[in-house]
Structures are given as C-alpha cells and as structure tokens.
C-alpha cells in the first residue's frame, strides 16, 4: 500500500465544537498519521498521511459528524513525511 500525504483545510464553524478531538479520533481509527490544528482565521488545518482511500474515508466521516458546521474543504497533496507515526493535535 502506497502512503500519501494530504493537507486538508476545513472552513466554517469548526473551532470550539470539538472538531480537532473528533478529527484526531477519526484519523486514528483509519490508521492515519499527521496532525490537526486551529488556524488564526477560524479554519482548521490538518496533515493526513496514509492510503488515499483511508484519507478519503476519514474526511467523509468527519463531514458526516460535522456536516452542518463545515462550509468548505480544500485539499492539497503534500510530500509524505515519515517522521509522523501517529495523529496528534498541535497548537
């Protein structure tokens, strides 16, 4: 299985609603590595690493849980970074 990395930015009412904790739990469920953090502009940014299918499933699960709060999601491919071995909340 080939591992990829993807930067994902969630916009909408995604801060102050438990979004990062849910993202961490969901990413761990799908075996992803990386991080999630709040951004000063009110968005939440994440680096997700794993298989493309698992990343897609994780994003879909987050959308299912926070659908009414998420207004927009942008995704960009990134270079895979092997130093990330689990999924954490960063600040």
């Amino acid at each position: 299985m080939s591992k990829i990395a993807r930067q994902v930015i969630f916009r909408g009412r995604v801060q102050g609603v438990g979004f990062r904790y849910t993202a961490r739990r969901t990413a761990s469920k799908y075996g992803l590595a990386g991080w999630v953090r709040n951004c000063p502009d009110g968005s939440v940014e994440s680096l997700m690493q794993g298989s493309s299918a698992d990343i897609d499933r994780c994003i879909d699960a987050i959308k299912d849980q926070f659908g009414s709060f998420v207004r927009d999601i942008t995704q960009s491919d990134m270079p895979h970074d092997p130093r990330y071995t689990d999924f954490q909340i960063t600040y």
Side-chain angles (χ1 to χ4, degrees):
M1 167 181 66
S2 175
K3 293 194 179 210
I4 66 160
R6 197 179 300 162
Q7 176 194 42
V8 184
I9 299 175
F10 300 89
R11 291 183 182 83
R13 187 170 166 234
V14 292
Q15 291 189 16
V17 294
F19 192 92
R20 290 174 299 153
Y21 298 96
T22 300
R24 180 183 64 186
R25 185 175 60 248
T26 305
S28 295
K29 174 183 170 185
Y30 289 102
L32 302 182
W35 48 262
V36 61
R37 67 180 172 200
N38 285 343
C39 296
D41 67 359
S43 65
V44 172
E45 177 185 17
S46 181
L47 174 70
M48 297 182 180
Q49 297 192 141
S51 74
S52 181
D54 285 337
I55 292 170
D56 290 341
R57 283 191 276 272
C58 179
I59 292 168
D60 287 343
I62 292 169
K63 285 191 306 192
D64 286 346
Q65 292 184 17
F66 286 95
S68 62
F69 296 101
V70 176
R71 183 185 76 240
D72 182 55
I73 299 172
T74 57
Q75 302 179 45
S76 303
D77 291 336
M78 305 289 290
H80 183 267
D81 189 337
R83 71 181 160 164
Y84 297 111
T85 58
D86 60 358
F87 200 89
Q88 296 294 319
I89 295 172
T90 61
Y91 300 92

